[in-house]
Structures are given as structure tokens and as C-alpha cells.
Amino acid sequence: MSVKTLLPSATPVRFLAEDGSRVELHEGYAEPAEDRLKAAYRLMVLGRRFDVQATALTKQGRLAVYPSSAGQEACQVAAALTLSEQDWLFPTYRDSVALIARGLQPGEVLTLLRGDAHCGYDPAETRVAPQCTPLATQTLHAAGLAHAMQRRGEDAVALALIGDGATSEGDFHEALNFAAVFKAPAVFFVQNNRYAISVPFEKQSAAEALAYKGIGYGMRAEQVDGNDAVAVLAVLDDAVRHAREGKGPVLVEAHTYRIDAHTNADDATRYREAGEVEKWREADPLRRLETYLKGRNALSENEIELCHAEAEEFAQTVRDTLNAEPELDPLSLFDHVYAEPTRQLAAQRAALEAELEA
Amino acid sequence: MTTTMAQALNAALRDALKDDDRVLVFGEDVGALGGVFRVTDGITADFGESRCFDTPLAESGIVGFAVGMAMGGFRPVVEMQFDAFAYPAFEQITSHVAKLRNRTRGALSLPMVIRIPYAGGIGGVEHHCDSSEAYYTHTPGLRVVTPGTAQDAYDLLRDAIESPDPVVFLEPKARYWSGEEVSFARKSPPMDKAVVRRHGKDVTLIAYGPMVATALETAEAAKDEGWDVEVVDLRSLSPFDDETVTASVRRTGRAVVVHEAAGFGGYGAEVVARVTEQCFHQLHAPVLRVTGLDIPYPAPKLERHTLPDVDRILDTVARLQWNDTPVVAGA
């Protein structure tokens, strides 16, 4: 592959200006069909409401912690929409909205964060890996699984989500290198939301764009306006197609912004100016897509209302789910440590059982 | 015909590759070179590059990639080349290999083997001689095994590859070239059982990996001192076979644990605690340890001073209150 074909576009790929008008900065990417944009809109409304609800539930002590992805809905929803059923998604702790968009239930998604179990769904069945909290480690799993699927002749892709901070980790680089060398059908999707907890992007990397890192691995890369749902969908669609056709992995960087703090436990006013947050609020991905679709007469007021009504209903489901405390079986602690249980764990299980009965 | 431990491991890999299409061997230099210790010698030539292949030089990458491949239905057997070189992969091993089954409540299992040539005694330079077993045995979710004989090298590796759980497979590199008659008909007991390598009635030496041969030599030398020494080879460090070990110590009433790794916070402390808890009333003396010194693994010309040898083990056996003399506290 020539260097030229690996290079990302000079500026982030963009279809919509901040005011929702159509612009021509998309370097030959095809605009996704209208029904997909409407599906994205619906899920973004749902996702935002989910995010607000989950944040509120941390204040009531229903969730131990919640890392908000408010402002990143275009990325979250596109990551889910671009994948087929047989593809694998490798999310991080911040990507709950992507899982909702992938069709998982709030109870399944929030199991980790409410503290019931490390993963609330069956990854083998849903083809969603457990939400990963160590940084970038899952990118290697995505590369390995993508390679495994390719070997088995499955027509499937693995898409790993990571943040800007995770691109500094060794595993990110090892994953890109492995995926490129093995030509694995993997897509690495970096949501550069400008902050790794409190550390700004300028202190994270000297690179002008993280997408430039692809070329060093011999990997195609692209950068995209992460608050432009049309562009993110177009670029991810293309990346997934490229990987699926056996042409090798792709690195995609979305330039976006985390509107809220790292989690409910952190105070973002200590490390960033209110003016900066306001500026990014004006780049809101949801309003941008809504304005665009309305302008095209593709979205009526009635449809918008319906989306919001559905989101309200969904929020009620989230509340109901979180307010019901499922009973947890202490003896299940021993169930899945080993496939073949050890004598030591059998003895500890018996001891705990006796303790519980006493 | 005599088969060395390295050859036995090679045969185990070949037989596993033959028997199960899902088994794959990969790592750094395992292909054309056949591994720096030649454990994978000729495998790529005979099975093709799709079954045994070289990867980029990145240990975390090798293990993390193997996690994904195991999730995708394969059974990877990866090589870490040298003990201390595995440390970059430590996060993958402890946070993911050990935990994926538990995190996913049984939905995903990781039947994979991480082969790590370990321990010293070969005149290797620094970072090539660590005994890193305690890091792995302290991690729930991993099985940790180490062969002390060529027969076990074959049998344990076959068992490890067939295990539905991830296995850290520690190869005592000083024994790679030691040979014996090996049967390829799976003669050893199951992977999680210890074995009594030599029967005796006075004292039990508990050893594993590279120290099994040293313990057996000690037992022979002990005859001159009038001690009839039993040697237990643990084989499986995690899980630990309490049954075999405590049965032996209850018979002899005395025990010494021998390992190459530093003693402080080491694996031997776990063995001593378990044996003491379970055999207290049968013990005639405290259970003692002979271990490596609590120092970073030394330069090759000094390594003989840290490696437990026959003399040091015999000196320790002598401290086991044979004539009601009190045990002198260790350093």
C-alpha cells in the first residue's frame, strides 16, 4: 500500500457544519442513506436520555460510578450502527451508550457500574466484549479475535473503542502493529474527547492528530468530526467495509468532546474553563443532526416528539431496573474462577456456605 | 532412547497440533529458528506457518492477541522466550487471561497456554534467570505448572493444552538438556497432582521444576548421614495438591521446601503455612525452607551462591531437631 493511500484527510472529514448545514469536506465518502441517519438520530436521543438518567442515578447511590459520554453520542451510536450482528464490539467503561445502541438492555449494561457483576450480558451471544477498564488492553483482544474470525472464514469485523489517553499505552501500539502485520479485519476507533481524566490532549500527545499514527504501522487511517453523525457513520462504514473486504485494519480518530466530567466523582472545573465547554456545547452532535434532517424535510416535529417520548419511557425503564435490587448469591463467587473447580475453592465455598448458615 | 526435556516439549506440541486443529503455536522466534531453546524446532516446517508462526516482538501483544484468538475458538500456546521478558505481558496475564471467565460469568473461557522458560543455573545474563512463579500463583484464575522431568514435560504440556483453563507453563531451562526414557502414552498422573519421586521415612523434601533433580541428588547424599529422604515433586503449583504433600509429611514428620526463587514472600511460604496448618501434630520440627537469596538474580559468575544446592539442603535438614536441639532461626 502506498503511503499516500494510508494518509488521513488533511482536516477531519465533515458533512455537516456546526449549524447543521451541509458542507463539502468529505473527501469522497458517500453520505449514508436517510433511514440510517434517522435511526442514528433516534438512538442519539435515546442515548442522551440514558446518559442523563444514569448520571442522576449515581446521585441517588444506585450506581457506584458513571462515566458520561454526553457530547459523544454521534460516535457511540455510529460505532454500534456500523456493525452487523456477527461483528464484535470491544467497548470501554465510557461506552455504555454504544451498548444501548447495539440493543443491550439497561440492566445488562449497568451491571458493571452498579456493582453487581463485572459484565451483565453474555459476550459470546451478543458479540460485545466486557466493558474494559484497563486502558487499551482490549485493542489486542480485538486484533486477535479479528484474526481468529478471518482464519475461520467468518465474514466478521472487530471494532475496538478507545479514548485519547489510551493511545499512549503500549498495548494500543502493539495492537495496531499486530493487526496490521496480520491484516486482521479490525477497526480501532479513537474517540478523542480532549481529556484523559484531567490531562488535556496537548499533554497526552505531540501529534497533530492521532490518526497520523496509522501510517507508521502501515495502516489506513482517517480523522473525522466526531460531533457530525453523518460523517462518523460515513467514515466508520467505510472503515468496516475496508476491514471486511480483507484489506487490513483501519484506525479512525473522531475529534469530539466530553461535556461532563470524567465520572460523577471528578470535578472538571479544576482543569478546564467554562468557556471551552460552552464552545463545545455549540457543536452538539444531536442538535446538528436534527437541524440537518429537519432542513431536508426528513424529520418532522411529530417524529422528534415521538423519539423524545420513547426516550422518556426508556428512562423510566432505566429507573425501574436500577431501583429493583436483584438478589446476589454469595456462593456464585466461586462459580466461574476455573472451568474445572479446584479443591481449594471447593473448601472455601463450603466454609462460606457454613458461615452464611450460621 | 533418551529424550531431553526440550525434545519432550517439542513432541508434546507436535502431538497436540496433530490431535487438535484449534491448537496454534506462536511467539517470537518460534518459527524458522525453532525457538531460542529449540523447543519449537521444525514445527513450522512440518505443520506450516498457519499452525506455528512468528509474531512481532511484543510480549503484551503476543498474550493479548492470544486472548482474542482463544475468544475466537482457537487454543493458543504462546512462548515468552525468557521469564523476565514476560513482565510486559503481566497486565494481560493478570487482568485478562486470569479473569475473563470470571468477568463473563462463564460465557467466555480462555483455553490457552503461556510457556515461560524460567529460573537460572545456565549462566544467563540478567533478566534471563528469574523465578517468577509467585506472581502467577498469587493470581486466581490461572493454573501454574512446572515439570521436573522429561516425562512430565511431555505429559504436563499435553494436559495444559487440553485444559479448559489458562495455564502458565514454567519450563526449568537448566533442565532442558537433561534426558531420560520418555513414553508418549501419557504416563504421569493428572496435571493437578503432586507425585512422590522417591520414598523415604525420615524427612520430606518438597520441590518443583529445576529443584526436583537437586532434591533427588540430596536424597542420595543424605544416605551417608543416615537420613532416609522422601522427595515430593509438586508439578502443579496452583492448584496445590495438599493431599499428596500432607500425606508424605505426616509419614515423615519433617519437611523442607526447596525453591530457587527468593524466599521472602515466596511460594515456599505458602507451602510451609499449608503443611503446618494440616500436619502440626505430626511435625517433629518446624517446616523449613531453602530458597534463593533475597536479591535480584545475580551475575552468572556469582549465581552458584544463590542457587540452592545439595550442601545447603543437607545443612537445613540437619537443623530439623533430630536430637531435640532447637532450630536456629533463619536470617
Side-chain angles (χ1 to χ4, degrees):
Chain A
M1 226 179 286
S2 84
V3 166
K4 215 175 149 193
T5 61
L6 299 178
L7 272 176
S9 67
T11 56
V13 173
R14 200 179 223 204
F15 280 73
L16 304 182
E18 286 182 9
D19 64 2
S21 59
R22 185 75 157 73
V23 290
E24 295 292 333
L25 287 169
H26 42 76
E27 305 257 347
Y29 287 95
E31 179 168 341
E34 197 170 280
D35 61 330
R36 294 191 75 228
L37 297 181
K38 287 179 74 170
Y41 175 79
R42 178 187 153 260
L43 288 168
M44 285 167 71
V45 171
L46 209 66
R48 175 153 305 175
R49 187 66 189 87
F50 172 83
D51 202 89
V52 168
Q53 186 60 64
T55 301
L57 285 164
T58 57
K59 294 180 182 135
Q60 296 165 27
R62 289 291 178 191
L63 288 174
V65 67
Y66 183 74
S68 166
S69 60
Q72 300 177 216
E73 289 87 354
C75 299
Q76 294 280 300
V77 165
L81 277 188
T82 203
L83 297 180
S84 311
E85 229 173 69
Q86 79 273 16
D87 297 331
W88 273 81
L89 179 68
F90 284 79
T92 75
Y93 54 87
R94 192 178 302 289
D95 302 312
S96 297
V97 168
L99 301 199
I100 293 294
R102 177 89 170 156
L104 298 190
Q105 295 306 305
E108 298 174 313
V109 173
L110 295 172
T111 311
L112 168 78
L113 299 167
R114 85 194 294 198
D116 294 343
H118 301 317
C119 180
Y121 47 88
D122 181 340
E125 194 184 286
T126 57
R127 297 216 157 194
V128 178
Q131 285 181 273
C132 198
T133 45
L135 295 188
T137 51
Q138 85 282 13
T139 55
L140 276 164
H141 308 163
L145 185 55
H147 180 61
M149 294 191 293
Q150 193 173 46
R151 269 174 175 260
R152 298 166 72 95
E154 285 179 42
D155 185 24
V157 171
L159 185 147
L161 291 164
I162 51 166
D164 40 307
T167 66
S168 299
E169 294 275 5
D171 275 7
F172 169 72
H173 300 277
E174 297 190 18
L176 261 55
N177 194 39
F178 267 69
V181 167
F182 287 98
K183 262 193 149 192
V187 175
F188 302 98
F189 183 34
V190 180
Q191 295 168 79
N192 179 356
N193 67 13
R194 311 299 303 178
Y195 288 90
I197 304 190
S198 69
V199 179
F201 180 67
E202 293 67 31
K203 289 184 179 170
Q204 195 65 243
S205 173
E208 201 176 318
L210 294 168
Y212 291 133
K213 295 185 187 291
I215 189 169
Y217 297 102
M219 180 187 296
R220 215 182 114 186
E222 189 54 282
Q223 56 176 337
V224 59
D225 181 339
N227 286 24
D228 174 352
V230 182
V232 183
L233 259 179
V235 167
L236 280 186
D237 277 349
D238 188 68
V240 168
R241 191 182 317 117
H242 182 88
R244 203 187 300 284
E245 285 170 0
K247 293 176 183 165
V250 185
L251 170 66
V252 176
E253 177 193 17
H255 298 274
T256 183
Y257 194 78
R258 187 188 79 211
I259 293 293
D260 288 335
H262 167 62
T263 71
N264 56 296
D266 126 82
D267 176 8
T269 62
R270 292 172 76 109
Y271 55 83
R272 60 186 195 188
E273 302 289 331
E276 178 185 294
V277 184
E278 276 321 301
K279 186 181 90 66
W280 276 94
R281 274 187 201 284
E282 282 160 27
D284 182 43
L286 190 47
R287 193 175 49 236
R288 202 189 294 192
L289 182 61
E290 186 178 298
T291 308
Y292 175 61
L293 289 175
K294 272 165 70 177
R296 269 176 50 154
N297 291 323
L299 190 68
S300 69
E301 287 297 340
N302 188 35
E303 283 173 306
I304 294 171
E305 261 172 50
L306 281 175
C307 282
H308 284 279
E310 190 196 354
E312 273 317 307
E313 223 173 280
F314 187 63
Q316 184 61 49
T317 309
V318 177
R319 288 193 295 273
D320 291 346
T321 308
L322 272 286
N323 286 334
E325 279 287 344
E327 199 136 330
L328 301 175
D329 177 10
L331 294 176
S332 69
L333 287 172
F334 303 100
D335 286 350
H336 305 295
V337 185
Y338 293 96
E340 290 176 342
T342 65
R343 289 178 296 275
Q344 270 108 52
L345 279 188
Q348 289 178 19
R349 189 184 198 280
L352 182 60
E353 198 168 6
E355 212 176 282
L356 292 169
E357 279 165 12
Chain B
M1 196 184 77
T2 300
T3 304
T4 66
M5 186 180 277
Q7 288 166 337
L9 293 165
N10 184 282
L13 291 173
R14 286 170 179 273
D15 288 349
L17 284 162
K18 239 179 273 165
D19 287 356
D20 189 343
D21 287 343
R22 298 170 301 172
V23 175
L24 302 173
V25 174
F26 57 91
E28 165 73 6
D29 299 314
V30 300
L33 181 67
V36 292
F37 292 105
R38 305 292 180 267
V39 170
T40 55
D41 195 21
I43 294 183
T44 299
D46 293 345
F47 289 85
E49 219 182 324
S50 69
R51 304 295 305 283
C52 178
F53 52 92
D54 287 325
T55 64
L57 203 176
E59 287 77 12
S60 189
I62 292 167
V63 174
F65 197 72
V67 168
M69 293 213 62
M71 285 170 72
F74 289 94
R75 299 176 88 95
V77 183
V78 299
E79 180 176 298
M80 290 285 98
Q81 200 159 85
F82 283 97
D83 33 72
F85 295 177
Y87 299 150
F90 194 67
E91 183 187 17
Q92 284 290 345
I93 296 172
T94 53
S95 292
H96 295 293
V97 174
K99 291 178 181 164
L100 193 70
R101 165 173 287 275
N102 190 252
R103 290 169 71 208
T104 64
R105 292 185 285 178
L108 294 177
S109 60
L110 289 182
M112 57 186 277
V113 178
I114 302 170
R115 291 182 39 241
I116 308 177
Y118 84 121
I122 59 158
V125 294
E126 67 170 343
H127 310 301
H128 288 69
C129 296
D130 282 18
S131 291
S132 38
E133 63 268 29
Y135 303 132
Y136 305 115
T137 56
H138 194 60
T139 306
L142 298 177
R143 287 175 186 274
V144 183
V145 302
T146 177
T149 67
Q151 180 68 52
D152 258 4
Y154 179 83
D155 292 340
L156 280 176
L157 186 52
R158 293 297 311 269
D159 288 352
I161 294 169
E162 283 172 13
S163 170
D165 289 307
V167 180
V168 173
F169 192 89
L170 299 171
E171 299 172 4
K173 62 175 94 74
R175 307 291 172 198
Y176 270 141
W177 306 281
S178 314
E180 67 197 84
E181 288 293 319
V182 174
S183 151
F184 299 115
R186 314 287 280 274
K187 273 177 55 183
S188 305
M191 186 169 71
D192 59 356
K193 294 299 286 180
V195 298
V196 177
R197 290 268 170 231
R198 182 188 194 282
H199 291 277
K201 59 180 178 21
D202 296 331
V203 55
T204 302
L205 292 185
I206 303 165
Y208 54 87
M211 282 295 127
V212 172
T214 311
L216 289 169
E217 268 176 64
T218 306
E220 283 306 305
K223 283 199 275 190
D224 297 340
E225 310 282 336
W227 294 314
D228 186 11
V229 174
E230 180 147 310
V231 175
V232 175
D233 174 357
L234 293 180
R235 305 170 78 247
S236 171
L237 306 187
S238 179
F240 179 78
D241 179 4
D242 291 277
E243 205 182 339
T244 305
V245 174
T246 56
S248 169
V249 178
R250 284 192 187 113
R251 281 195 301 272
T252 60
R254 289 182 172 82
V256 174
V257 185
V258 187
H259 64 58
E260 253 191 68
F264 189 85
Y267 184 76
E270 176 66 31
V271 179
V272 172
R274 300 186 83 86
V275 169
T276 306
E277 283 168 6
Q278 295 169 70
C279 307
F280 186 72
H281 292 292
Q282 288 85 28
L283 285 172
H284 304 308
V287 183
L288 298 181
R289 286 174 289 167
V290 182
T291 70
L293 304 174
D294 294 326
I295 54 170
Y297 198 85
K301 287 177 183 165
L302 291 167
E303 70 177 345
R304 68 181 185 280
H305 301 294
T306 189
L307 291 173
D309 61 7
V310 171
D311 284 347
R312 198 175 281 170
I313 300 169
L314 284 178
D315 287 349
T316 305
V317 170
R319 291 167 53 212
L320 291 172
Q321 282 182 272
W322 298 97
N323 305 304
D324 295 328
T325 50
V327 170
V328 181

